[in-house]
Amino acid sequence: MKTELFPVIKFFKKVESTNAFAGPYLENSTLQSNFVICAREQTGGKGRLERDWYSPVGGLYFTLGFPRTQFPSTITLFTGVIIHKVLSSIFPELTFSIKWANDIFLNNKKVGGILTSSNTHGTVIGIGIDCNIKVIPNRLKGIATSLLIETGKKVALKRFLKVILETFEENLKFFNELGFPHFVEYFEKFHILTNKKVVIYSGERQLFGTVRGITHDGALKLETESGLQSVLSADKIDILT
Ligand code: BTN
């Protein structure tokens, strides 16, 4: 399973969070190489803004670890493109979408998410995909779904992970050489928010406008009453029309 980019891959039955688990590996100077931490189940999976990430057996939960490596913030958007490419190749009959900045959608519901963090020791990219999950809890009904629920088909998780790692590796060369601009057209093509009226929540602030694309730096282009703005981050985005 290991690849050139990821020579160390560790599988666990149950961890609190693969992202949290990856922290000490990143800091451990004896482990020089990139690594992957994958778990069948997480007891304390985390999403953005410290939200809980529902992580029962059946989902794919893994973290890519890059000791001593800093990426531009667009690495999250790049990762979304990779997950989208792989899902679209496994399910060519379905149309997956990407929702800026870190969500993967199917049939207007979230099916995957990405959580990147970095510190002086390096970078971790955590990825969660709702694959073979049969039941979505009530609090997430209408918001989240799984591949099994939408397609009736089970995904072979290890095989899926392998294809993601290979696709990530193939494309990272282009990301490192050409940056996110090389992927921006793909992102925009599958971006669920393009030309949608939205409200963007950031702390106490709300910003209304129409999404007009993504900048080469990975910001959201928002046409507002006072002109075109670049939005760098958001807590939540709702589509109005
Ligand atoms: C989000 O959409 O808010 C990001 C979700 C990221 C979830 C993944 S699952 C693997 C890794 N471990 C975690 O605790 N979180 C990430």
Side-chain angles (χ1 to χ4, degrees):
M1 159 78 80
K2 63 185 185 183
T3 69
E4 205 178 306
L5 184 65
F6 300 108
V8 176
I9 305 192
K10 293 188 179 289
F11 290 97
F12 296 91
K13 254 184 139 170
K14 203 192 260 195
V15 298
E16 189 186 329
S17 150
T18 56
N19 270 20
F21 204 88
Y25 279 95
L26 209 61
E27 288 157 32
N28 179 353
S29 57
T30 57
L31 194 64
Q32 295 292 324
S33 63
N34 298 333
F35 59 87
V36 180
I37 306 283
C38 184
R40 268 164 57 83
E41 190 180 350
Q42 297 185 120
T43 53
K46 285 280 172 261
R48 283 181 63 240
L49 307 168
E50 290 297 305
R51 291 174 188 137
D52 290 339
W53 183 259
Y54 180 57
S55 309
V57 172
L60 180 62
Y61 316 107
F62 64 102
T63 296
L64 310 176
F66 300 89
R68 302 172 315 281
T69 309
Q70 304 296 332
F71 291 106
S73 61
T74 46
I75 192 71
T76 305
L77 280 66
F78 163 77
T79 306
V81 166
I82 300 308
I83 302 299
H84 186 280
K85 275 179 191 272
V86 174
L87 284 170
S88 306
S89 71
I90 296 177
F91 296 100
E93 69 284 11
L94 301 179
T95 305
F96 292 89
S97 319
I98 311 174
K99 185 178 177 195
W100 185 87
N102 65 334
D103 298 343
I104 304 293
F105 269 61
L106 176 61
N107 299 337
N108 289 317
K109 286 177 221 148
K110 184 159 164 168
V111 74
I114 299 154
L115 184 63
T116 304
S117 67
S118 67
N119 60 28
T120 50
H121 299 288
T123 301
V124 297
I125 305 174
I127 299 162
I129 305 171
D130 302 342
C131 298
N132 308 327
I133 295 175
K134 285 197 193 110
V135 182
I136 297 292
N138 280 340
R139 67 189 158 89
L140 297 173
K141 285 239 165 82
I143 301 170
T145 190
S146 76
L147 297 173
L148 179 61
I149 292 170
E150 298 300 315
T151 67
K153 287 182 199 157
K154 278 198 172 182
V155 179
L157 295 182
K158 279 205 176 166
R159 165 99 201 107
F160 185 28
L161 175 63
K162 184 167 188 282
V163 181
I164 294 172
L165 298 181
E166 286 167 356
T167 310
F168 190 98
E169 181 160 347
E170 274 161 36
N171 284 277
L172 188 66
K173 295 186 189 96
F174 296 108
F175 182 78
N176 285 336
E177 277 167 32
L178 306 167
F180 181 64
H182 185 69
F183 298 93
V184 81
E185 198 181 318
Y186 186 102
F187 194 102
E188 286 186 329
K189 182 168 174 198
F190 294 104
H191 189 206
I192 203 168
L193 300 178
T194 301
N195 295 325
K196 293 282 191 309
K197 285 206 168 107
V198 296
V199 52
I200 300 182
Y201 302 89
S202 291
E204 300 289 287
R205 282 190 58 207
Q206 289 182 19
L207 191 58
F208 290 85
T210 305
V211 174
R212 294 301 185 203
I214 305 290
T215 69
H216 281 189
D217 299 330
L220 195 68
K221 285 186 209 164
L222 190 74
E223 190 180 302
T224 68
E225 278 189 336
S226 51
L228 204 56
Q229 294 196 20
S230 289
V231 179
L232 294 172
S233 68
D235 292 349
K236 185 164 93 90
I237 304 182
D238 284 343
I239 299 177
L240 299 175
T241 53

